[in-house]
Amino acid sequence: MENHHQKEELVVSTPTLAASAALRLVGHALAHASANAWRVAVCVVDTQGVALAAARMDEVAPPILDFATDKAFTAATMKRTTEAFFERMDNSPSLRLGLTNRPRLLVWGGGLPIIHGDRVVGAIGVSGARDVEDIECARHALDLERLSFEL
């Protein structure tokens, strides 16, 4: 008996950022921080929030790299900036309460999704400076690679 219904896909192909691009993004963000005398850590993740490249500057405490990684994880998996995610959480007491049960989600500024075409292909997280400076480092890195953080 023939099935005339459209067949369901069994495998999904999701574009993701190349490791070589992730390394360049980390370098760009660190160079921008250094030029401004900011000390930061940077992490770039794939679409699933798994690290592709990461580094922390000299004398940056190890937890700062964890913060950068969690910012990137949040931006990649939620497909929005950590700043936008904060605004959503801030406007909803129930969502804010639920956030405390999700250890990897971080709403501090500095996590940006990485958009190529019309798809999220990863994310970058920067931590260690003030939020606006972390965001500036991440945006600078994306700009140099002609990538966006907005759909």
Side-chain angles (χ1 to χ4, degrees):
M1 179 172 197
E2 262 185 63
N3 183 351
H4 293 287
H5 298 285
Q6 202 173 34
K7 290 188 178 184
E8 182 179 321
E9 283 189 58
L10 297 176
V11 177
V12 177
S13 177
T14 304
T16 192
L17 191 68
S20 57
L23 287 167
R24 288 193 308 272
L25 288 167
V26 168
H28 296 325
L30 291 175
H32 188 72
S34 181
N36 287 284
W38 303 328
R39 294 185 319 168
V40 300
V42 182
C43 183
V44 175
V45 300
D46 65 14
T47 57
Q48 302 300 308
V50 178
L52 292 169
R56 63 185 169 92
M57 297 171 80
D58 294 340
E59 300 182 19
V60 170
I64 302 301
L65 180 56
D66 292 337
F67 298 151
T69 302
D70 288 348
K71 288 179 183 185
F73 173 87
T74 302
T77 58
M78 301 307 291
K79 298 180 176 19
R80 64 181 68 200
T81 67
T82 50
E83 202 173 22
F85 191 57
F86 169 77
E87 289 168 8
R88 182 156 188 245
M89 295 297 110
D90 198 41
N91 292 322
S92 171
S94 64
L95 289 176
R96 192 169 48 245
L97 181 61
L99 183 63
T100 62
N101 296 319
R102 307 302 311 172
R104 301 263 338 257
L105 298 178
L106 192 60
V107 298
W108 300 336
L112 306 179
I114 300 171
I115 311 298
H116 183 354
D118 63 349
R119 304 286 301 262
V120 174
V121 296
I124 183 170
V126 179
S127 196
R130 294 183 308 133
D131 281 4
V132 294
E133 296 162 348
D134 291 345
I135 294 166
E136 183 179 321
C137 289
R139 288 183 72 163
H140 177 78
L142 294 179
D143 287 347
L144 288 178
E145 293 293 325
R146 295 187 176 112
L147 293 165
S148 177
F149 63 94
E150 297 176 310
L151 284 171

